[in-house]
Amino acid sequence: QVQLVESGGGSVQAGGSLRLSCVASRLNYCMAWFRQAPGKEREAVARILTGSGNPRYADSVKGRFTISRDNFRNTLYLQMNSLKPEDTATYYCAARQTVGDCYYSDRVDYWGQGTQVTVSS
């Protein structure tokens, strides 16, 4: 069992920045951030491989968000810049223990509890 604990959500005006953190109880092969807005399906935002990095981003956040990890601290980050109202959602940390792409929700083994991000115009 892997525990994932997110932090760093909050309210910000459009154009602002936030940094999300996710502390994992152990290292995983693949870690990702997903988000879910009210009335919408959960969608992948970004993912990173613990060993090689190789980040992957949703088109909607490319150039604005950066995913990174600190393997020594078992911590995943999401730096979010130039935030837009449409980025408002609950953001979830996700992990996959074995080889595979956790960019796809059906390949995720563990989920965090979520942290709310609200961007006002």
Side-chain angles (χ1 to χ4, degrees):
Q1 190 75 12
V2 175
Q3 282 76 48
L4 303 172
V5 180
E6 303 105 331
S7 62
S11 297
V12 65
Q13 289 192 327
S17 298
L18 285 172
R19 188 175 83 153
L20 305 183
S21 299
C22 171
V23 179
S25 58
R26 56 168 291 174
L27 278 178
N28 297 275
Y29 175 80
C30 180
M31 295 194 74
W33 290 99
F34 286 73
R35 68 186 180 186
Q36 187 168 20
K40 294 189 176 181
E41 292 188 356
R42 189 173 298 189
E43 62 175 359
V45 174
R47 73 97 168 97
I48 192 165
L49 303 181
T50 301
S52 63
N54 191 22
R56 179 178 177 180
Y57 297 94
D59 288 343
S60 59
V61 307
K62 281 181 182 176
R64 301 188 297 121
F65 291 11
T66 302
I67 190 170
S68 62
R69 84 278 191 221
D70 182 335
N71 291 345
F72 181 75
R73 293 180 173 82
N74 288 354
T75 302
L76 178 73
Y77 302 101
L78 185 69
Q79 178 66 44
M80 305 186 293
N81 298 329
S82 302
L83 282 161
K84 303 176 181 180
E86 51 263 44
D87 295 317
T88 296
T90 301
Y91 284 70
Y92 297 90
C93 178
R96 179 180 172 89
Q97 286 192 280
T98 57
V99 173
D101 195 343
C102 62
Y103 191 81
Y104 305 97
S105 60
D106 61 351
R107 301 178 190 178
V108 171
D109 294 325
Y110 301 103
W111 295 94
Q113 82 285 356
T115 186
Q116 178 66 36
V117 171
T118 302
V119 184
S120 58
S121 57

